[in-house]
């Protein structure tokens, strides 16, 4: 591991795997950014979301380890699947791990939780004609 | 004989304990040496930013793109790649 990297290759692999699983479970895009903010964290996180290819269907997790701030930003369509309450619960989970210095564990658990909460319920009987 | 005996004594009573202590210290610190510096809340952050699943490719500069005629009947919309409204949550620790 080069000196100064935030995560080891194994840790990165774990986070990427959690992101993949969350995307498969929810059908949304997930993105994780760990680093300092140029400005206030919330506008900066929204700016990051807008740099992505499909921001409306994306959930961005922004972590500022120096400022000890966490932002979860959901796009317009993603917000319909992942409520602010569910995002808040995931933020609480991550916050607990981050406070003990476990960035990787917090991200993996939090992203998994976001993916599970954003899970789309299957449409039942949607293709069947209405019967009286 | 005395010099031989003292050398042997030093080896047994100093050399071996020092070797054992060195091996134990190596075993204790091997994990943290391998994993590098650990994040400690409240202390400065040392690492460059990491973006997992970030933008696939850098977007072309709109100023350098050739101007295309607008398709008839196309409604004016916000630029693609800009989220309309956002939700989510915040936390600090």
């Amino acid at each position: 591991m080069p000196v100064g990297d935030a995560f080891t290759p194994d840790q990165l692999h774990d986070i990427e795997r959690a992101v993949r699983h969350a995307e498969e479970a929810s059908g949304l895009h997930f993105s994780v950014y760990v680093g300092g903010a140029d400005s206030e964290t919330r506008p900066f996180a929204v700016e990051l979301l807008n740099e992505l290819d499909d921001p409306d269907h994306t959930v961005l997790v922004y972590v500022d380890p120096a400022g000890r701030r966490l932002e979860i930003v959901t796009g317009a369509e993603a917000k319909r699947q992942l409520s602010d309450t569910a995002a808040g619960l995931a933020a609480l989970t991550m916050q607990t791990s981050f406070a003990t210095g476990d960035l990787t564990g917090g991200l993996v658990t939090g992203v998994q939780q976001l993916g599970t909460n954003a899970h789309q319920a299957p449409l039942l009987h949607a293709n069947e004609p209405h019967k009286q | 004989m005395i010099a031989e005996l003292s050398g042997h004594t030093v080896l047994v009573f100093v050399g071996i304990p020092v070797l054992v202590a060195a091996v134990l210290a190596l075993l204790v610190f091997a994990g943290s040496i391998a994993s590098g510096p650990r994040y400690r809340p409240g202390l400065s952050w040392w690492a460059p930013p990491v973006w997992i699943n970030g933008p696939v490719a850098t977007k072309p500069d709109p100023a350098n793109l050739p101007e295309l005629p607008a398709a008839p009947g196309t409604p004016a919309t916000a630029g693609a790649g800009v989220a309309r409204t956002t939700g989510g949550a915040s936390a600090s620790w």
Side-chain angles (χ1 to χ4, degrees):
Chain A
M1 171 188 173
V3 175
D5 278 5
F7 302 106
T8 64
D10 284 348
Q11 289 172 331
L12 270 179
H13 180 257
D14 288 346
I15 299 168
E16 283 165 355
R17 196 172 50 185
V19 165
R20 247 190 343 267
H21 286 169
E23 288 185 335
E24 282 166 13
S26 65
L28 298 171
H29 300 296
F30 279 77
S31 188
V32 176
Y33 186 96
V34 180
D38 295 337
S39 54
E40 290 289 310
T41 50
R42 185 74 189 178
F44 184 72
V46 173
E47 218 172 278
L48 290 175
L49 178 77
N50 286 331
E51 282 184 39
L52 294 167
D53 297 325
D54 186 9
D56 282 343
H57 293 89
T58 299
V59 179
L60 176 91
V61 178
Y62 169 71
V63 182
D64 179 3
R68 288 187 278 171
R69 288 283 301 173
L70 160 71
E71 299 285 350
I72 298 171
V73 189
T74 51
E77 293 300 321
K79 191 183 174 182
R80 293 159 60 116
Q81 256 177 264
L82 183 70
S83 69
D84 290 355
T85 312
L89 286 172
L92 202 63
T93 304
M94 288 192 245
Q95 181 190 30
T96 309
S97 294
F98 294 161
T100 61
D102 186 7
L103 280 183
T104 310
L107 283 171
V108 168
T109 318
V111 169
Q112 277 173 348
Q113 196 174 335
L114 288 170
T116 308
N117 289 338
H119 175 69
Q120 272 185 317
L123 282 174
L124 299 175
H125 315 298
N127 296 325
E128 292 177 11
H130 180 67
K131 290 176 187 171
Q132 291 291 337
Chain B
M1 178 67 187
I2 292 169
E4 226 176 87
L5 188 63
S6 69
H8 189 250
T9 306
V10 166
L11 185 71
V12 170
F13 289 101
V14 177
I16 292 175
V18 164
L19 187 69
V20 170
V23 169
L24 285 176
L26 193 69
L27 288 174
V28 167
F29 292 113
S32 57
I33 291 169
S35 62
R38 186 174 179 272
Y39 170 60
R40 295 182 193 284
L43 299 182
S44 63
W45 179 246
W46 67 91
V50 178
W51 199 343
I52 297 159
N53 222 9
V56 177
T58 51
K59 290 176 184 171
D61 186 2
N64 297 332
L65 290 176
E67 199 167 327
L68 295 173
T74 306
T77 54
V82 176
R84 287 164 289 170
T85 54
T86 56
S90 305
S92 56
W93 63 94

